[in-house]
Coordinates of all heavy atoms in Angstrom, one line a residue:
M1 N 0.9 -1.2 0.0 CA 0.0 0.0 0.0 C 0.9 1.2 0.0 O 1.8 1.3 0.8 CB -0.9 0.0 1.2 CG -1.9 1.1 1.3 SD -2.8 1.4 2.8 CE -3.8 0.0 2.9
G2 N 0.6 2.2 -0.9 CA 1.4 3.4 -1.0 C 1.1 4.3 0.2 O 0.3 4.0 1.1
K3 N 1.7 5.4 0.2 CA 1.5 6.4 1.3 C 0.2 7.1 1.1 O 0.0 7.7 0.1 CB 2.7 7.4 1.3 CG 2.6 8.3 2.5 CD 4.0 8.8 2.8 CE 3.9 9.8 3.9 NZ 4.3 9.3 5.2
L4 N -0.7 7.0 2.1 CA -2.0 7.6 2.0 C -1.9 9.0 2.7 O -1.2 9.2 3.6 CB -3.0 6.8 2.7 CG -3.4 5.4 2.0 CD1 -4.3 4.7 2.9 CD2 -4.0 5.7 0.7
S5 N -2.7 9.9 2.2 CA -2.8 11.2 2.9 C -3.5 11.0 4.2 O -4.2 10.0 4.5 CB -3.6 12.2 2.0 OG -5.0 11.8 2.0
Y6 N -3.3 12.0 5.0 CA -3.9 12.0 6.4 C -5.4 11.9 6.3 O -6.1 11.1 7.0 CB -3.5 13.3 7.1 CG -4.1 13.4 8.5 CD1 -3.6 12.7 9.6 CD2 -5.2 14.2 8.7 CE1 -4.1 12.8 10.8 CE2 -5.8 14.3 10.0 CZ -5.2 13.6 11.0 OH -5.8 13.7 12.3
K7 N -6.0 12.7 5.4 CA -7.5 12.7 5.2 C -8.0 11.3 4.7 O -9.0 10.8 5.2 CB -7.9 13.7 4.2 CG -9.3 14.1 4.2 CD -9.6 15.2 3.2 CE -10.2 16.3 4.0 NZ -10.6 17.4 3.1
A8 N -7.2 10.7 3.8 CA -7.6 9.3 3.4 C -7.5 8.3 4.5 O -8.4 7.4 4.6 CB -6.8 8.9 2.1
R9 N -6.4 8.4 5.3 CA -6.3 7.4 6.4 C -7.4 7.6 7.4 O -7.9 6.7 8.0 CB -4.9 7.6 7.0 CG -3.8 7.0 6.2 CD -2.5 7.0 7.0 NE -2.1 8.4 7.3 CZ -1.6 8.7 8.5 NH1 -1.3 7.9 9.4 NH2 -1.2 10.0 8.7
K10 N -7.8 8.9 7.6 CA -8.8 9.1 8.6 C -10.1 8.6 8.1 O -10.9 8.0 8.9 CB -8.9 10.6 8.8 CG -9.6 11.0 10.1 CD -9.4 12.5 10.4 CE -9.9 12.8 11.8 NZ -9.5 14.1 12.2
R11 N -10.4 8.7 6.8 CA -11.7 8.1 6.3 C -11.7 6.6 6.3 O -12.7 6.0 6.6 CB -11.9 8.6 4.9 CG -12.3 10.1 4.8 CD -12.5 10.6 3.4 NE -12.9 12.0 3.4 CZ -12.7 12.8 2.5 NH1 -12.1 12.4 1.4 NH2 -13.1 14.1 2.5
L12 N -10.5 6.0 6.0 CA -10.4 4.6 6.0 C -10.5 4.0 7.4 O -11.2 3.0 7.6 CB -9.1 4.1 5.4 CG -9.0 4.0 3.9 CD1 -7.6 3.7 3.4 CD2 -10.0 2.9 3.4
A13 N -10.0 4.7 8.4 CA -10.1 4.3 9.8 C -11.5 4.4 10.2 O -12.0 3.4 10.9 CB -9.2 5.2 10.7
L14 N -12.2 5.4 9.9 CA -13.6 5.5 10.2 C -14.5 4.4 9.6 O -15.3 3.8 10.2 CB -14.2 6.9 9.8 CG -15.6 7.2 10.2 CD1 -15.8 7.2 11.7 CD2 -16.1 8.5 9.6
L15 N -14.2 4.1 8.3 CA -14.9 3.0 7.6 C -14.6 1.7 8.3 O -15.5 0.9 8.4 CB -14.5 3.0 6.1 CG -15.1 2.0 5.3 CD1 -16.6 2.3 5.1 CD2 -14.5 1.9 3.9
A16 N -13.3 1.5 8.6 CA -13.0 0.2 9.3 C -13.7 0.1 10.6 O -14.1 -1.1 11.0 CB -11.5 0.2 9.5
L17 N -13.8 1.1 11.4 CA -14.5 1.0 12.7 C -16.0 0.9 12.6 O -16.6 0.2 13.4 CB -14.1 2.3 13.5 CG -12.7 2.3 14.0 CD1 -12.4 3.6 14.8 CD2 -12.4 1.1 14.9
V18 N -16.6 1.6 11.6 CA -18.1 1.7 11.5 C -18.6 0.5 10.8 O -19.7 -0.1 11.1 CB -18.5 3.0 10.9 CG1 -20.0 3.0 10.6 CG2 -18.2 4.2 11.8
V19 N -17.9 0.0 9.8 CA -18.4 -1.1 8.9 C -17.6 -2.4 9.2 O -18.2 -3.4 9.4 CB -18.4 -0.7 7.4 CG1 -18.8 -1.9 6.6 CG2 -19.2 0.5 7.2
G20 N -16.3 -2.3 9.1 CA -15.5 -3.5 9.2 C -15.5 -4.2 10.5 O -15.5 -5.4 10.6
L21 N -15.4 -3.4 11.6 CA -15.3 -4.0 12.9 C -16.6 -4.8 13.3 O -16.6 -5.9 13.7 CB -15.0 -3.0 14.0 CG -14.7 -3.6 15.4 CD1 -13.6 -4.6 15.4 CD2 -14.3 -2.4 16.3
P22 N -17.8 -4.2 13.1 CA -19.0 -5.0 13.3 C -19.1 -6.2 12.4 O -19.6 -7.3 12.9 CB -20.2 -4.0 13.0 CG -19.6 -2.7 13.3 CD -18.1 -2.8 12.8
A23 N -18.7 -6.1 11.2 CA -18.7 -7.3 10.3 C -17.8 -8.3 10.8 O -18.1 -9.5 10.8 CB -18.4 -6.9 8.9
Y24 N -16.6 -7.9 11.3 CA -15.6 -8.9 11.8 C -16.2 -9.6 13.1 O -16.0 -10.7 13.3 CB -14.3 -8.2 12.1 CG -13.2 -9.1 12.7 CD1 -12.5 -9.9 11.8 CD2 -12.9 -9.1 14.0 CE1 -11.5 -10.7 12.2 CE2 -11.9 -10.0 14.5 CZ -11.2 -10.8 13.6 OH -10.3 -11.6 14.1
I25 N -16.9 -8.8 13.9 CA -17.4 -9.4 15.1 C -18.5 -10.4 14.8 O -18.5 -11.5 15.4 CB -18.0 -8.3 16.0 CG1 -16.9 -7.4 16.6 CG2 -18.9 -8.8 17.1 CD1 -17.4 -6.1 17.3
I26 N -19.3 -10.1 13.8 CA -20.4 -11.1 13.4 C -19.7 -12.3 12.9 O -20.1 -13.5 13.2 CB -21.3 -10.4 12.4 CG1 -22.1 -9.3 13.0 CG2 -22.2 -11.5 11.7 CD1 -22.9 -8.5 12.1
V27 N -18.7 -12.2 12.0 CA -18.0 -13.4 11.5 C -17.3 -14.2 12.6 O -17.4 -15.4 12.6 CB -17.0 -13.0 10.4 CG1 -16.1 -14.1 10.0 CG2 -17.7 -12.4 9.2
A28 N -16.7 -13.5 13.5 CA -16.0 -14.2 14.6 C -17.0 -14.9 15.5 O -16.7 -16.1 15.9 CB -15.2 -13.2 15.5
V29 N -18.1 -14.3 15.8 CA -19.1 -15.0 16.7 C -19.7 -16.2 15.9 O -19.9 -17.2 16.5 CB -20.2 -14.0 17.1 CG1 -21.4 -14.7 17.8 CG2 -19.6 -13.0 18.1
T30 N -20.0 -16.0 14.6 CA -20.5 -17.1 13.8 C -19.6 -18.3 13.8 O -20.0 -19.4 13.9 CB -20.9 -16.6 12.4 OG1 -21.8 -15.5 12.5 CG2 -21.5 -17.7 11.6
V31 N -18.3 -18.0 13.5 CA -17.3 -19.1 13.4 C -17.1 -19.8 14.7 O -17.1 -21.0 14.8 CB -16.0 -18.5 12.8 CG1 -14.9 -19.6 13.0 CG2 -16.2 -18.1 11.4
T32 N -17.0 -19.0 15.8 CA -16.8 -19.7 17.1 C -18.1 -20.4 17.6 O -17.9 -21.3 18.4 CB -16.3 -18.7 18.1 OG1 -17.3 -17.6 18.2 CG2 -15.0 -18.2 17.8
S33 N -19.2 -20.0 17.2 CA -20.5 -20.6 17.6 C -20.7 -22.0 16.9 O -21.5 -22.8 17.4 CB -21.7 -19.7 17.4 OG -21.9 -19.5 16.1
T34 N -20.0 -22.2 15.8 CA -20.1 -23.5 15.1 C -19.4 -24.6 15.8 O -19.6 -25.8 15.6 CB -19.6 -23.4 13.6 OG1 -18.2 -23.0 13.7 CG2 -20.4 -22.4 12.8
M35 N -18.4 -24.2 16.7 CA -17.7 -25.2 17.4 C -18.5 -25.6 18.7 O -19.4 -24.9 19.1 CB -16.3 -24.6 17.9 CG -15.4 -24.2 16.7 SD -13.8 -23.6 17.3 CE -14.3 -22.1 18.1
D36 N -18.1 -26.8 19.3 CA -18.7 -27.1 20.5 C -18.2 -26.2 21.6 O -17.1 -25.6 21.5 CB -18.3 -28.6 20.9 CG -19.0 -29.6 20.0 OD1 -20.1 -29.3 19.5 OD2 -18.4 -30.7 19.9
R37 N -19.0 -26.0 22.6 CA -18.6 -25.0 23.7 C -17.3 -25.4 24.4 O -17.3 -26.4 25.1 CB -19.7 -24.9 24.7 CG -19.6 -23.8 25.7 CD -19.9 -22.4 25.1 NE -19.6 -21.4 26.0 CZ -20.4 -20.5 26.4 NH1 -21.7 -20.6 26.1 NH2 -20.0 -19.5 27.2
P38 N -16.2 -24.7 24.2 CA -15.0 -25.0 24.9 C -15.0 -24.5 26.3 O -15.9 -23.8 26.7 CB -13.9 -24.3 24.1 CG -14.6 -23.1 23.5 CD -16.0 -23.6 23.3
P39 N -14.0 -24.9 27.1 CA -13.9 -24.3 28.5 C -13.9 -22.8 28.4 O -13.4 -22.2 27.4 CB -12.6 -24.9 29.0 CG -12.3 -26.0 28.2 CD -12.9 -25.8 26.8
I40 N -14.3 -22.1 29.4 CA -14.5 -20.7 29.5 C -13.1 -20.0 29.2 O -13.1 -19.0 28.6 CB -15.2 -20.2 30.7 CG1 -15.6 -18.7 30.6 CG2 -14.3 -20.4 31.9 CD1 -16.7 -18.5 29.7
W41 N -12.1 -20.6 29.8 CA -10.7 -19.9 29.6 C -10.3 -20.0 28.2 O -9.7 -19.1 27.7 CB -9.7 -20.6 30.6 CG -9.5 -22.0 30.3 CD1 -10.1 -23.1 30.9 CD2 -8.5 -22.6 29.4 NE1 -9.6 -24.3 30.3 CE2 -8.6 -24.0 29.4 CE3 -7.6 -22.0 28.5 CZ2 -7.9 -24.8 28.6 CZ3 -6.8 -22.8 27.8 CH2 -6.9 -24.2 27.8
L42 N -10.6 -21.1 27.5 CA -10.2 -21.2 26.1 C -11.1 -20.3 25.2 O -10.6 -19.7 24.3 CB -10.3 -22.7 25.6 CG -9.9 -23.0 24.2 CD1 -8.5 -22.6 24.0 CD2 -10.2 -24.4 23.9
E43 N -12.3 -20.2 25.5 CA -13.2 -19.3 24.8 C -12.8 -17.8 25.0 O -12.7 -17.1 24.0 CB -14.6 -19.5 25.3 CG -15.7 -18.8 24.4 CD -17.1 -19.1 24.8 OE1 -17.3 -19.9 25.8 OE2 -18.0 -18.6 24.2
L44 N -12.4 -17.5 26.2 CA -11.9 -16.1 26.5 C -10.6 -15.9 25.7 O -10.4 -14.8 25.1 CB -11.6 -15.9 28.0 CG -11.1 -14.6 28.4 CD1 -12.1 -13.5 28.1 CD2 -10.7 -14.6 29.8
L45 N -9.7 -16.9 25.7 CA -8.5 -16.7 24.9 C -8.7 -16.6 23.4 O -8.1 -15.7 22.8 CB -7.6 -18.0 25.2 CG -6.2 -17.9 24.6 CD1 -5.4 -16.9 25.3 CD2 -5.5 -19.3 24.8
V46 N -9.7 -17.3 22.9 CA -10.0 -17.1 21.5 C -10.6 -15.7 21.2 O -10.1 -15.1 20.2 CB -11.1 -18.2 21.0 CG1 -11.7 -17.9 19.7 CG2 -10.4 -19.6 21.0
Y47 N -11.5 -15.2 22.0 CA -12.0 -13.9 21.7 C -11.0 -12.8 21.9 O -11.0 -11.8 21.2 CB -13.2 -13.7 22.6 CG -14.5 -14.3 22.1 CD1 -15.1 -15.3 22.8 CD2 -15.0 -14.0 20.9 CE1 -16.3 -15.9 22.3 CE2 -16.2 -14.6 20.4 CZ -16.8 -15.5 21.1 OH -17.9 -16.1 20.6
V48 N -10.1 -13.0 22.9 CA -9.0 -12.0 23.1 C -8.1 -12.0 21.8 O -7.7 -10.9 21.3 CB -8.3 -12.2 24.4 CG1 -7.0 -11.4 24.4 CG2 -9.1 -11.9 25.6
G49 N -7.7 -13.2 21.4 CA -6.9 -13.3 20.2 C -7.5 -12.7 19.0 O -6.9 -12.0 18.2
L50 N -8.8 -13.0 18.8 CA -9.5 -12.4 17.6 C -9.7 -10.9 17.8 O -9.7 -10.2 16.8 CB -10.9 -13.1 17.5 CG -10.9 -14.5 17.0 CD1 -12.3 -15.1 17.1 CD2 -10.4 -14.6 15.6
G51 N -9.8 -10.4 19.0 CA -9.9 -9.0 19.2 C -8.6 -8.2 18.9 O -8.6 -7.1 18.5
I52 N -7.5 -8.9 19.1 CA -6.2 -8.3 18.7 C -5.9 -8.5 17.2 O -5.4 -7.6 16.6 CB -5.1 -8.9 19.6 CG1 -5.3 -8.5 21.0 CG2 -3.7 -8.5 19.1 CD1 -4.4 -9.2 22.0
L53 N -6.3 -9.6 16.7 CA -6.0 -10.0 15.3 C -6.6 -9.0 14.3 O -5.9 -8.8 13.3 CB -6.5 -11.4 15.0 CG -6.1 -12.0 13.7 CD1 -4.6 -12.2 13.6 CD2 -6.8 -13.3 13.5
W54 N -7.7 -8.4 14.5 CA -8.4 -7.6 13.5 C -7.6 -6.3 13.4 O -7.6 -5.7 12.3 CB -9.8 -7.2 13.9 CG -9.9 -6.2 15.0 CD1 -10.0 -6.5 16.3 CD2 -10.0 -4.8 14.9 NE1 -10.1 -5.4 17.1 CE2 -10.1 -4.3 16.2 CE3 -10.0 -3.9 13.8 CZ2 -10.2 -2.9 16.5 CZ3 -10.0 -2.6 14.1 CH2 -10.1 -2.1 15.4
A55 N -6.9 -5.8 14.4 CA -6.2 -4.5 14.4 C -4.8 -4.6 13.7 O -4.3 -3.6 13.2 CB -6.0 -4.0 15.8
I56 N -4.2 -5.8 13.6 CA -2.9 -5.9 13.1 C -2.8 -5.4 11.6 O -1.9 -4.6 11.3 CB -2.3 -7.3 13.3 CG1 -2.1 -7.5 14.8 CG2 -1.0 -7.5 12.5 CD1 -1.7 -9.0 15.2
P57 N -3.6 -5.9 10.7 CA -3.5 -5.4 9.3 C -3.9 -3.9 9.2 O -3.5 -3.3 8.2 CB -4.4 -6.3 8.5 CG -5.2 -7.0 9.5 CD -4.6 -6.9 10.8
L58 N -4.7 -3.4 10.1 CA -5.1 -2.0 10.0 C -4.2 -1.0 10.7 O -4.5 0.2 10.7 CB -6.6 -1.9 10.5 CG -7.6 -2.7 9.7 CD1 -8.9 -2.6 10.4 CD2 -7.7 -2.3 8.3
R59 N -3.2 -1.5 11.3 CA -2.3 -0.7 12.1 C -1.8 0.5 11.3 O -1.8 1.7 11.9 CB -1.2 -1.5 12.7 CG -0.4 -0.7 13.7 CD 0.6 -1.6 14.4 NE 1.4 -0.7 15.3 CZ 2.6 -1.0 15.8 NH1 3.1 -2.2 15.4 NH2 3.2 -0.3 16.6
P60 N -1.3 0.4 10.1 CA -0.8 1.5 9.4 C -1.8 2.6 9.1 O -1.5 3.8 9.1 CB -0.3 0.9 8.0 CG -0.1 -0.5 8.3 CD -1.1 -0.9 9.4
I61 N -3.1 2.2 9.0 CA -4.2 3.2 8.8 C -4.4 4.0 10.0 O -4.6 5.2 10.0 CB -5.4 2.5 8.3 CG1 -5.2 1.8 6.9 CG2 -6.6 3.4 8.3 CD1 -6.3 1.0 6.5
F62 N -4.4 3.3 11.2 CA -4.7 4.0 12.5 C -3.6 4.8 13.0 O -3.8 5.6 13.9 CB -5.2 3.0 13.5 CG -6.5 2.4 13.2 CD1 -6.7 1.0 13.0 CD2 -7.6 3.2 13.2 CE1 -7.9 0.5 12.7 CE2 -8.9 2.7 12.9 CZ -9.0 1.3 12.7
R63 N -2.3 4.5 12.5 CA -1.2 5.2 13.1 C -1.2 6.7 12.8 O -1.3 7.2 11.7 CB 0.1 4.6 12.5 CG 1.3 5.3 13.0 CD 2.5 4.5 12.7 NE 2.5 3.4 13.7 CZ 3.4 2.6 13.9 NH1 4.4 2.5 13.1 NH2 3.4 1.7 14.9
G64 N -1.2 7.5 13.9 CA -1.1 9.0 13.8 C -2.5 9.6 13.5 O -2.5 10.9 13.3
I65 N -3.6 8.9 13.5 CA -4.9 9.5 13.2 C -5.3 10.5 14.4 O -5.9 11.5 14.1 CB -5.9 8.4 13.0 CG1 -5.7 7.7 11.7 CG2 -7.4 9.0 13.0 CD1 -5.8 8.5 10.5
G66 N -5.0 10.2 15.6 CA -5.4 11.0 16.7 C -4.6 12.3 16.9 O -4.9 13.1 17.7
Q67 N -3.6 12.5 16.0 CA -2.8 13.7 16.1 C -3.2 14.7 15.0 O -4.0 14.4 14.1 CB -1.3 13.4 15.9 CG -0.9 12.4 17.0 CD 0.5 11.9 16.8 OE1 1.2 12.3 15.9 NE2 1.0 11.0 17.7
A68 N -2.7 15.9 15.1 CA -3.1 16.9 14.1 C -2.5 16.6 12.7 O -1.5 15.8 12.6 CB -2.5 18.3 14.6
D69 N -3.2 17.1 11.7 CA -2.8 16.8 10.3 C -1.4 17.4 10.1 O -1.1 18.6 10.2 CB -3.8 17.5 9.4 CG -3.5 17.1 7.9 OD1 -2.5 16.5 7.6 OD2 -4.3 17.5 7.1
P70 N -0.4 16.5 9.8 CA 1.0 17.0 9.6 C 1.1 17.9 8.3 O 2.1 18.7 8.2 CB 1.8 15.7 9.5 CG 0.9 14.7 9.1 CD -0.5 15.1 9.6
D71 N 0.2 17.8 7.4 CA 0.3 18.6 6.1 C -0.3 19.9 6.3 O -0.1 20.8 5.4 CB -0.3 17.8 5.0 CG 0.4 16.5 4.7 OD1 1.6 16.4 5.0 OD2 -0.3 15.6 4.3
Q72 N -1.1 20.2 7.3 CA -1.8 21.4 7.5 C -0.9 22.5 8.0 O -0.1 22.3 8.9 CB -3.0 21.2 8.5 CG -3.8 22.5 8.6 CD -5.0 22.2 9.6 OE1 -5.0 21.2 10.3 NE2 -6.0 23.1 9.5
K73 N -0.9 23.7 7.4 CA -0.1 24.8 7.8 C -0.7 25.5 9.0 O -1.9 25.7 9.0 CB 0.1 25.7 6.6 CG 0.7 25.1 5.4 CD 2.1 25.5 5.2 CE 2.5 25.0 3.8 NZ 3.7 24.2 3.8
D74 N 0.1 25.9 9.9 CA -0.4 26.8 11.0 C -0.3 28.2 10.7 O 0.8 28.8 10.5 CB 0.4 26.5 12.3 CG 0.1 25.2 12.9 OD1 -1.0 24.7 12.7 OD2 0.9 24.6 13.6
D75 N -1.4 28.9 10.5 CA -1.5 30.3 10.2 C -1.8 31.1 11.4 O -2.9 31.6 11.5 CB -2.5 30.6 9.1 CG -2.0 30.0 7.8 OD1 -0.8 29.8 7.5 OD2 -2.9 29.7 6.9
V76 N -0.9 31.1 12.4 CA -1.2 31.8 13.7 C -0.5 33.1 13.7 O 0.5 33.4 13.2 CB -0.9 30.9 14.9 CG1 -1.1 31.6 16.2 CG2 -1.6 29.6 14.8

């Protein structure tokens, strides 16, 4: 993936959180519900692992979003 502008990363991050994350949760719950009920500690471990796993490929998009736009000029 090439270098995205701050505005594009911000829009992609919003799209990932509003659309992608709920879709990922639905898929994760559906997949884990097809298995027999494991022990609670294993089920917790699976959900924690899946909770971390979704963010790894999106890390470059979320990096620096909470800070000010580096391309914006300060006219003070």
Side-chain angles (χ1 to χ4, degrees):
M1 183 189 295
K3 187 157 174 100
L4 293 173
S5 70
Y6 177 79
K7 195 177 240 184
R9 283 188 300 139
K10 199 166 192 170
R11 288 182 180 151
L12 277 174
L14 183 62
L15 182 69
L17 289 175
V18 172
V19 177
L21 188 56
Y24 183 78
I25 291 170
I26 291 169
V27 170
V29 168
T30 303
V31 168
T32 55
S33 68
T34 60
M35 300 183 291
D36 291 334
R37 187 78 189 238
I40 191 71
W41 63 269
L42 182 60
E43 190 174 1
L44 178 66
L45 188 65
V46 167
Y47 281 117
V48 168
L50 289 173
I52 293 170
L53 187 66
W54 75 271
I56 293 172
L58 298 176
R59 187 173 182 202
I61 294 171
F62 289 117
R63 180 163 279 185
I65 290 298
Q67 299 174 3
D69 186 354
D71 299 328
Q72 186 179 14
K73 305 253 188 230
D74 286 335
D75 294 330
V76 178

